[in-house]
Amino acid sequence: MPNIALVEDEPEAADVLAAFIARYADEKGLELTVTRFGNAMDFEMTHQHFDLVFMDIQMPGINGMEAAQLMRAYDSETPIIFVTNLAQYAIKGYEVDALDFIVKPVTYFNFRMRMDKAMRRIRRNGSRSIAIGTRDGMRVVALSDIEYVEVSKHDLSYHLVGEEEPFVVYGSLVAFEQEVEGGPFVRISNSCLVNMNRVRAVRGGELVMQGGEVLYFSRSRKREAVATITSFLGGSI
């Protein structure tokens, strides 16, 4: 369920964008959540993770461009779409790696094109995060940091990038699969989901991950899984 931040000080403009997001979600059959901020300072002070940010540029106090610069100091991945009255800001947006711009007044046609682009980026880079419950509380993990997830009885083993030992918690693979629906994961067997962004190669019945692990397709899931991976990676495996 991608979470979208809408940073806009004009209530009417925020209402329009929120309505467009709801319309897009309905058309695409998606579940999208929206958190609205009336100024950039409130957005910067939140500790919540977002998968996409719509940022007005002309706001009192910290403007949208300054807020984006602050955001990029700790988050280089989350897509930012600027909403502005002034098209000349587009050039400066490259400094903060903005995904795109929408010039006011926003039309649904222009909004939908930017949303299509943003959703492709979200699915591609797995910029979403999930909160995994632990005995002591919870751990927030970016989907891009998950190589694959295995289940054994009632334990889930999260194999994370850069960590030698898996992170093991009580859980359900079905529940995890539902939570990351729309993300870059594919089931290769009844007990394993892999992050397609971390696939290095497919060799017969084997799947080689970027971390060097060799996983195995189940016979019943191999054809569908290989087709999904090939489509996702554009035939590059």
Side-chain angles (χ1 to χ4, degrees), residues 44-69:
E44 288 298 332
M45 293 298 292
T46 186
H47 299 292
Q48 189 173 356
H49 171 81
F50 295 98
D51 302 297
L52 172 63
V53 177
F54 283 96
M55 181 80 73
D56 184 24
I57 291 182
Q58 294 177 289
M59 290 184 288
I62 299 176
N63 66 38
M65 193 64 66
E66 292 168 335
Q69 290 170 342

Side-chain angles (χ1 to χ4, degrees), residues 23-34:
R23 177 178 172 183
Y24 182 89
D26 185 62
E27 289 179 354
K28 301 291 185 178
L30 300 172
E31 290 187 46
L32 304 175
T33 62
V34 178

Side-chain angles (χ1 to χ4, degrees), residues 3-98:
N3 193 7
I4 300 172
L6 177 52
V7 190
E8 170 63 74
D9 66 314
E10 298 177 5
E12 291 183 0
D15 288 343
V16 169
L17 283 172
F20 284 172
I21 293 170
R23 177 178 172 183
Y24 182 89
D26 185 62
E27 289 179 354
K28 301 291 185 178
L30 300 172
E31 290 187 46
L32 304 175
T33 62
V34 178
T35 303
R36 293 170 60 157
F37 299 91
N39 59 73
M41 181 59 73
D42 287 346
F43 169 73
E44 288 298 332
M45 293 298 292
T46 186
H47 299 292
Q48 189 173 356
H49 171 81
F50 295 98
D51 302 297
L52 172 63
V53 177
F54 283 96
M55 181 80 73
D56 184 24
I57 291 182
Q58 294 177 289
M59 290 184 288
I62 299 176
N63 66 38
M65 193 64 66
E66 292 168 335
Q69 290 170 342
L70 291 172
M71 173 182 163
R72 284 296 183 238
Y74 60 85
D75 181 350
S76 63
E77 298 295 332
T78 300
I80 300 172
I81 297 178
F82 284 114
V83 184
T84 179
N85 289 312
L86 303 172
Q88 59 262 38
Y89 275 111
I91 296 177
K92 193 169 184 180
Y94 289 114
E95 297 176 5
V96 292
D97 193 27

Side-chain angles (χ1 to χ4, degrees), residues 99-164:
L99 179 68
D100 216 325
F101 283 76
I102 305 179
V103 178
K104 296 179 180 179
V106 182
T107 67
Y108 183 69
F109 176 77
N110 286 332
F111 171 85
R112 185 179 61 195
M113 287 194 301
R114 272 68 177 188
M115 274 298 291
D116 285 342
K117 185 177 181 180
M119 294 307 297
R120 287 194 296 270
R121 172 72 67 85
I122 291 171
R123 286 191 292 266
R124 184 69 179 177
N125 66 18
S127 62
R128 291 161 51 189
S129 296
I130 60 169
I132 303 171
T134 68
R135 292 180 180 178
D136 301 323
M138 71 174 186
R139 177 176 177 180
V140 177
V141 176
L143 296 190
S144 58
D145 286 338
I146 301 174
E147 287 252 358
Y148 61 99
V149 182
E150 293 180 302
V151 64
S152 177
K153 296 183 179 179
H154 299 293
D155 288 333
L156 287 182
S157 296
Y158 292 83
H159 295 261
L160 305 178
V161 176
E163 298 189 13
E164 293 185 3

